[in-house]
Amino acid sequence: MAGRDRVVHLLTQLASAACRCPAHSNTFHQGVGAATCTVRKTDYAFEMASSNIRYGDGVTAEIGMDLQNLGARKVCVMTDRNLSRLPPVASVLASLSRSGVTYKVYDNVRVEPTDTSFKEAIQFAKREAFDVFVAVGGGSVMDTCKAANLYASRPDADFLDFVNAPVGRGKPVTGALKPLIAVPTTAGTGSETTGVAIFDYEPLKAKTGIASRAIRPTLGIVDPRHTLSMPERVAANSGFDVLCHALESFTALPYHQRTPCPPNPLQRPAYQGSNPISDVWSRHALAVVAKYLRRAVRDPEDVEARSSMHLASVFAGIGFGNAGVHLCHGMSYPIAPGGDWGTQLPLVPHGLSVVLTSPAVFTFTAPMCPERHLEAAQILGADTRQVKRADAGPLLAEVLRELLFSLQVEDGLVAVGYGTEDIPALVRGTVPQERVTKLSPREQTEEDLCRLFEASMKLY
């Protein structure tokens, strides 16, 4: 057997062995020798991409040397106002000073960024002409820094050029950007591994983003010391984000069923659908969450648990950064819009907004790939030996409810300020999120979304 055919044969076996669900059992495309999308509606390939990751207790101290090694002359350090006074930023700046690196700090990053806050950071980056970027913070900081790097490197671009369609034009990013080093201070978003930057587009009151491998960080410095100061609820909500990243990417529509097939590899999206490589990372992230999430929330001094959840965020980030997420995240955006859209909107942390719909979502998606849902439930601690395929969704939902109840999570959307009268608005806010909702293994109508939001009003 020729080398190429052997690889295709092995991938086919791997796909078959991984899962025999309707949504995952299709064989891999065999016509690799004539790899063109002129006759295919669905994609036939996936691409693995991730930032370099460095992990270690106290590893932040090395960042000054990294910048020296890059030949940095003028560095932009981005963070937010709260973090600017806390040890993670102090550690980064101390390292830069020891290495004699010239830098300027931008600490006006908005938590839950908007197009306005992105543009303010972009203007700062353009004005100063930096040659390296450093992001110190959570997902909001890292995403803002990605956008600043992108548009500072493309000064003539209109802001909507690279924003995901249908809100923006969704143009591909060509050519290299400036190096970006990300130092995550929370254990949830995985943004240090991905080419995605999320923000609220205020004119449409909708969450959207920019997705391109070109904007992912050059290096993620994962220092577990930075998570030890997280308050209990921040640790919980960050952990829920990790959980849903892993579950959604593991159950996402398989890459070979995703449409359209790109006419050029440059147009293959960052979120490609589940695939054998992303599955490895997602499974491992789920196993770490099962073992350490409760401990990390209940005891801030449990260094092993907090450190393990920090790594789990990276694992899940690599998984969903290549496979994508689907309904939990798509439905979370109107639940936690983040923009100044009126005081009547509840303020719901991102991780909480994602996990509150998870029991309903995975009950809904399970019929399309029950084996995947059963495997996820098993990894999270359920005994699946006598469980029928038809019960996969209810079982995973029950496992999730038990986890949320044990961590004292609010009892559904009603408990965070929503009512059934808000469902039409929540559905309207979900409909534009096609970048992720179309990766659900089960298609959904607006009526389906109504039922999912209604089922999420109460959890217990």
Side-chain angles (χ1 to χ4, degrees):
M1 183 182 294
R4 184 190 66 206
D5 293 337
R6 186 182 302 110
V7 171
V8 172
H9 178 68
L10 289 172
L11 284 174
T12 303
Q13 287 185 318
L14 180 58
S16 178
C19 186
R20 298 183 182 279
C21 307
H24 290 83
S25 59
N26 286 11
T27 57
F28 287 74
H29 176 56
Q30 300 294 307
V32 175
T36 126
C37 287
T38 56
V39 294
R40 289 185 59 88
K41 291 184 179 179
T42 58
D43 208 341
Y44 67 96
F46 66 91
E47 185 171 332
M48 182 66 192
S50 177
S51 307
N52 292 330
I53 297 294
R54 182 185 303 148
Y55 174 88
D57 184 12
V59 75
T60 304
E62 296 183 353
I63 191 169
M65 292 181 281
D66 289 316
L67 294 167
Q68 274 188 330
N69 295 338
L70 288 169
R73 296 181 302 276
K74 190 176 184 182
V75 175
C76 174
V77 179
M78 284 203 170
T79 189
D80 62 45
R81 292 278 171 81
N82 290 331
L83 274 167
S84 66
R85 300 185 292 270
L86 296 177
V89 172
S91 298
V92 168
L93 298 185
S95 180
L96 269 59
S97 296
R98 285 195 301 271
S99 296
V101 175
T102 301
Y103 64 87
K104 281 197 171 184
V105 175
Y106 180 84
D107 65 358
N108 200 34
V109 170
R110 176 193 171 100
V111 177
E112 299 294 345
T114 65
D115 56 310
T116 300
S117 71
F118 265 19
K119 289 173 184 176
E120 290 171 353
I122 290 165
Q123 288 306 311
F124 176 81
K126 286 181 176 180
R127 186 168 61 247
E128 298 293 340
F130 298 105
D131 58 357
V132 182
F133 290 80
V134 174
V136 189
S140 297
V141 172
M142 290 184 276
D143 289 1
T144 300
C145 199
K146 291 173 187 177
N149 186 14
L150 170 61
Y151 288 97
S153 301
R154 305 289 187 273
D156 297 328
D158 181 77
F159 180 73
L160 289 178
D161 280 352
F162 304 118
V163 173
N164 298 323
V167 174
R169 301 179 186 94
K171 292 183 178 180
V173 180
T174 57
L177 307 185
K178 303 296 184 184
L180 191 163
I181 299 177
V183 185
T185 59
T186 60
T189 69
S191 188
E192 66 276 7
T193 69
T194 72
V196 178
I198 303 298
F199 67 96
D200 296 304
Y201 187 59
E202 294 173 299
L204 296 180
K205 294 183 170 56
K207 229 177 186 67
T208 183
I210 302 162
S212 170
R213 294 180 188 87
I215 68 172
R216 72 179 186 272
T218 311
L219 171 66
I221 294 181
V222 182
D223 188 338
R225 290 186 185 182
H226 299 329
T227 67
L228 299 180
S229 59
M230 283 194 302
E232 176 185 311
R233 295 329 296 173
V234 174
N237 293 330
S238 298
F240 298 147
D241 205 14
V242 175
L243 171 66
C244 289
H245 282 157
L247 283 173
E248 290 172 71
S249 58
F250 187 57
T251 58
L253 187 75
Y255 77 92
H256 50 79
Q257 293 184 20
R258 182 185 50 75
T259 58
C261 186
N264 187 299
L266 184 65
Q267 295 170 285
R268 183 165 283 117
Y271 286 0
Q272 304 162 90
S274 61
N275 60 76
I277 296 179
S278 65
D279 288 348
V280 172
W281 296 98
S282 301
R283 282 188 179 99
H284 190 57
L286 283 176
V288 177
V289 168
K291 184 174 182 180
Y292 290 110
L293 176 56
R294 290 179 178 87
R295 284 172 51 183
V297 172
R298 291 169 177 164
D299 183 2
E301 296 183 2
D302 188 335
V303 176
E304 180 186 14
R306 288 281 175 110
S307 300
S308 296
M309 285 303 300
H310 209 184
L311 263 183
S313 177
V314 174
F315 300 150
I318 297 172
F320 91 84
N322 289 278
V325 289
H326 55 82
L327 286 177
C328 292
H329 272 76
M331 294 170 65
S332 78
Y333 296 143
I335 294 172
D340 291 327
W341 300 346
T343 56
Q344 77 278 7
L345 290 173
L347 297 175
V348 185
H350 171 69
L352 181 59
S353 72
V354 169
V355 83
L356 286 176
T357 63
S358 63
V361 163
F362 293 110
T363 301
F364 174 77
T365 57
M368 296 307 299
C369 46
E371 279 89 355
R372 291 251 162 169
H373 289 67
L374 283 174
E375 183 177 354
Q378 182 182 42
I379 295 171
L380 292 173
D383 183 353
T384 62
R385 287 173 295 182
Q386 303 299 320
V387 179
K388 297 178 181 179
R389 285 161 47 98
D391 296 326
L395 175 64
L396 180 55
E398 185 58 29
V399 169
L400 291 169
R401 287 192 189 94
E402 288 176 358
L403 174 63
L404 301 185
F405 185 79
S406 72
L407 292 175
Q408 299 179 318
V409 171
E410 291 85 343
D411 187 11
L413 294 177
V414 169
V416 297
Y418 286 100
T420 54
E421 69 277 7
D422 298 307
I423 290 177
L426 292 170
V427 171
R428 286 195 300 272
T430 304
V431 170
Q433 311 303 329
E434 291 184 353
R435 179 181 64 91
V436 293
T437 57
K438 283 194 170 183
L439 286 171
S440 168
R442 181 176 177 182
E443 293 184 7
Q444 67 284 164
T445 63
E446 291 189 21
E447 289 75 19
D448 290 327
L449 292 173
C450 284
R451 286 191 286 270
L452 289 173
F453 279 117
E454 184 174 6
S456 302
M457 286 292 159
K458 287 187 68 66
L459 294 180
Y460 313 124

